[in-house]
Amino acid sequence: MKVLLKHYVTGKAAESDMEVVATEAVELKVPEGSKDAIVLKNLYLSCDPYMRSRMTKHDKPSYVPDFVPGEVIIGYGVSKVVDSTHQDFKVGELVWGMTGWEEYSLISNPQNFFKVNHPEIPLSHYTGILGMPGFTAYVGFHEIAAPKQGEYMFVSAAAGAVGQLVGQFAKLMGCYVVGSAGSDEKVELLKNKFGFDDAFNYKKESNLIQTLQRFFPEGIDIYFENVGGATLEAVLQNMRLHGRIVACGMISQYNLVEPEGIRNLFQIVAKRIRMEGFVVFDYFANYYKFEEMTVQYIKGGKITYVEDIVEGLENAPSALIGLYEGRNVGKQVVVVSRE
């Protein structure tokens, strides 16, 4: 079984833009003559917001390649090596990296895969807290935001795969943290499970500028940007002098044919705000240091994580589309096989 992109998407993506098809018998061996390749049995797949961009044809290349209609969708996943001609990967090892939405994948260039060094932790965590989203949260907060103890921080999409960890890293640093989310259930998670100082349901707020003034009467030092659009506009009005905006993603814009314009940009000048975007794979050389640190946080009970797990590859298209509709609570994971 595998999941294909049927055609390029314009506007809002739907399950019907993807197709689940049966596969013929797969040869679980690296093809003869192929060097430095591995065959993987995929166990857990990650649904991530950036994948929507790859479903659209771009005239100018984006930071990740577009998917190809008729071919397997690609995303981060946790897998077991079932055959290898690569000296760094042995049969039976567990790895995570960019794999296919299919039961088995042949990877001809596995240099961007990481070994799972802590199989005692739930393997699904390597799609999230110990995978790309977790490392994204760490890099964005520690490397880009350059936080200081006692600073005021706002996190949008705060109950998502990245946001829930950003808030917890910030609390460990001694920051005051408020998050926004799209349901009362998620707001309660932020306050009662993830330890945010406060949180609000943005769907219930009629004026985001006033909402942020209510939660940050002295202004915002750091904004971790996951949403864009009206939220970014409101944040710019509420930033403090020399504030920092970490541009991680803008999920409100991904299904729009024409992105929304942003007003209040002059606040960047008036308040001397630094706004910086980043792409996590620029920092992958430091991944294993992050893994060891975060495993100790998990084992010590200093951070926690919520996953929204869907069983079966055939349900992957629905799970992915659910991200853009806010259906998921926590990190969206698809189980292909638990073996």
Side-chain angles (χ1 to χ4, degrees):
M1 185 183 300
K2 56 186 177 181
V3 181
L4 311 179
L5 179 69
K6 291 172 67 175
H7 46 243
Y8 284 124
V9 179
T10 300
K12 187 176 181 180
E15 291 179 47
S16 58
D17 296 317
M18 293 168 274
E19 182 178 14
V20 180
V21 300
T23 55
E24 299 176 356
V26 179
E27 177 66 36
L28 301 181
K29 296 287 291 181
V30 173
E32 188 174 348
S34 295
K35 296 182 179 180
D36 297 334
I38 55 177
V39 174
L40 300 177
K41 180 179 183 180
N42 296 315
L43 306 178
Y44 298 89
L45 298 178
S46 177
C47 293
D48 296 299
Y50 80 92
M51 297 174 73
R52 169 61 190 85
S53 175
R54 301 189 71 180
M55 299 171 77
T56 295
K57 178 66 174 175
H58 292 89
D59 293 330
K60 295 182 179 180
S62 182
Y63 70 97
V64 285
D66 299 335
F67 292 143
V68 178
E71 295 188 3
V72 174
I73 286 176
I74 304 296
Y76 286 101
V78 181
S79 312
K80 178 181 282 189
V81 179
V82 296
D83 194 36
S84 174
T85 57
H86 196 291
Q87 63 178 2
D88 294 336
F89 299 97
K90 309 303 180 187
V91 172
E93 288 184 330
L94 296 164
V95 298
W96 74 268
M98 195 73 76
T99 189
W101 277 27
E102 55 194 350
E103 293 172 279
Y104 294 91
S105 295
L106 170 65
I107 308 296
S108 57
N109 296 296
Q111 60 266 26
N112 290 325
F113 274 77
F114 298 91
K115 293 183 181 181
V116 171
N117 288 321
H118 291 275
E120 73 276 12
I121 303 292
L123 290 180
S124 58
H125 281 17
Y126 280 87
T127 69
I129 186 171
L130 291 173
M132 182 275 290
F135 193 46
T136 297
Y138 175 83
V139 168
F141 180 66
H142 287 286
E143 301 288 340
I144 310 299
K148 302 179 184 66
Q149 184 176 2
E151 289 192 308
Y152 295 87
M153 183 169 190
F154 174 51
V155 184
S156 58
V162 174
Q164 59 177 288
L165 289 170
V166 171
Q168 292 180 82
F169 288 146
K171 290 305 300 177
L172 288 170
M173 176 66 73
C175 298
Y176 178 84
V177 188
V178 175
S180 64
S183 73
D184 292 342
E185 177 188 8
K186 293 177 182 180
V187 167
E188 289 305 308
L189 271 177
L190 293 174
K191 294 192 292 186
N192 299 325
K193 189 173 183 68
F194 301 137
F196 282 57
D197 293 288
D198 218 329
F200 62 90
N201 182 347
Y202 72 89
K203 294 180 179 178
K204 291 186 172 181
E205 301 292 335
S206 59
N207 187 315
L208 286 175
I209 290 178
Q210 293 179 4
T211 298
L212 291 174
Q213 288 173 345
R214 186 169 79 244
F215 284 96
F216 296 97
E218 297 181 29
I220 299 166
D221 292 300
I222 303 170
Y223 170 45
F224 202 97
E225 167 66 298
N226 291 311
V227 171
T231 300
L232 178 56
E233 282 193 2
V235 167
L236 286 167
Q237 194 69 27
N238 282 278
M239 292 295 290
R240 300 179 77 176
L241 286 176
H242 303 290
R244 287 91 73 206
I245 297 176
V246 181
C248 176
M250 298 188 180
I251 195 170
S252 72
Q253 307 300 295
Y254 296 164
N255 277 316
L256 301 181
V257 177
E258 290 292 334
E260 295 173 327
I262 302 297
R263 296 167 292 186
N264 296 332
L265 284 175
F266 187 72
Q267 295 295 332
I268 292 176
V269 178
K271 296 180 178 179
R272 285 80 99 191
I273 297 167
R274 176 169 61 85
M275 183 172 182
E276 182 175 349
F278 73 103
V279 176
V280 70
F281 48 69
D282 290 343
Y283 297 83
F284 271 163
N286 296 323
Y287 168 74
Y288 287 118
K289 175 183 175 183
F290 156 80
E291 180 192 28
E292 292 304 316
M293 179 201 75
T294 307
V295 164
Q296 296 311 310
Y297 281 157
I298 294 170
K299 291 182 175 180
K302 293 184 177 181
I303 57 177
T304 187
Y305 202 63
V306 170
E307 296 174 325
D308 192 326
I309 294 181
V310 170
E311 297 281 347
L313 184 57
E314 68 276 10
N315 294 313
S318 173
L320 179 60
I321 296 303
L323 287 181
Y324 311 109
E325 299 174 352
R327 295 201 306 258
N328 60 301
V329 178
K331 170 62 191 171
Q332 187 66 70
V333 182
V334 176
V335 180
V336 181
S337 173
R338 293 183 181 272
E339 297 180 9

